[in-house]
Amino acid sequence: MLRVLMILVPLGLSIYAFIDCITTDEKDIRYIPKPLWAILVLLFPLVGSISWLIVGHQRKPRGISGRGGRGGWVAPDDNPEFLKSLKDDSKDQGKDKDRGEGKDSGSGSDDGPTDAVTGDDAHLKNWEDDLRRREEELKRREGGSGDGPDDPAPPKS
C-alpha cells in the first residue's frame, strides 16, 4: 500500500501542477515563462511541481478569482444584470399586451402577481385555441369532419 502511495501522490501532484500551470494567466506567472514552467513540471515531476506551487505563480487572496479576470460565478438570483434583463423582458411583454388591450403602456408599474397570472392564463388560452385549430385542420386533411371524438378513424393504408 505504501508503495502505491509513493507513486500516486507524486503523479497526482504533477498532474495538478501541470494543469494549474497551463490554466494560469501569463501575467500571474513569476520568474520564468509559462512554457518553461510546464516543461519543468513535466521533466522533473516532484521538484518541478513543488517549485511551481511554491514560487511559480502569484497566489490571490481568498475570495478573489484569478481565472479569466472575472469576479467568479454568481447565481442568477444574485446577479443584478440577469435580474435587470428579466425586468426588461417582462416590461417588453407587458407593452405588447397593453397595445392589444388598449391600456397605458408607458406607466411601467407592475400591479403584482395577478397580472402575471392573468397573462399566463391568456397565453395558455391562445395555445389551446391554436391546438384546437390545428387538430381540426389535421382532421379535415385526413378526410374527417373534425367534429370530435365520434369521428370514424381514418382508413388504414
Side-chain angles (χ1 to χ4, degrees), residues 116-148:
V117 172
T118 306
D120 289 343
D121 289 342
H123 197 70
L124 182 62
K125 182 160 176 31
N126 288 340
W127 277 355
E128 288 173 345
D129 293 341
D130 188 47
L131 181 62
R132 276 192 209 99
R133 181 187 55 78
R134 290 181 183 188
E135 286 176 343
E136 290 172 1
E137 184 178 315
L138 183 62
K139 285 181 183 179
R140 274 187 241 124
R141 283 186 193 162
E142 291 177 349
S145 64
D147 292 336

Side-chain angles (χ1 to χ4, degrees), residues 36-121:
L36 290 178
W37 273 116
I39 291 171
L40 182 71
V41 169
L42 288 177
L43 290 180
F44 306 103
L46 194 57
V47 175
S49 300
I50 292 172
S51 61
W52 166 255
L53 293 174
I54 293 174
V55 296
H57 61 94
Q58 297 174 349
R59 296 282 179 204
K60 300 281 184 194
R62 225 170 226 216
I64 298 176
S65 174
R67 309 262 187 245
R70 297 179 294 173
W73 184 82
V74 178
D77 58 342
D78 293 336
N79 187 343
E81 294 174 12
F82 177 74
L83 295 174
K84 184 179 181 296
S85 71
L86 288 178
K87 287 180 184 177
D88 292 343
D89 289 346
S90 68
K91 285 181 183 177
D92 291 343
Q93 289 176 354
K95 287 180 182 178
D96 292 343
K97 283 184 203 172
D98 291 346
R99 283 186 209 131
E101 295 173 3
K103 292 182 182 176
D104 179 25
S105 64
S107 65
S109 65
D110 292 335
D111 292 334
T114 55
D115 283 347
V117 172
T118 306
D120 289 343
D121 289 342

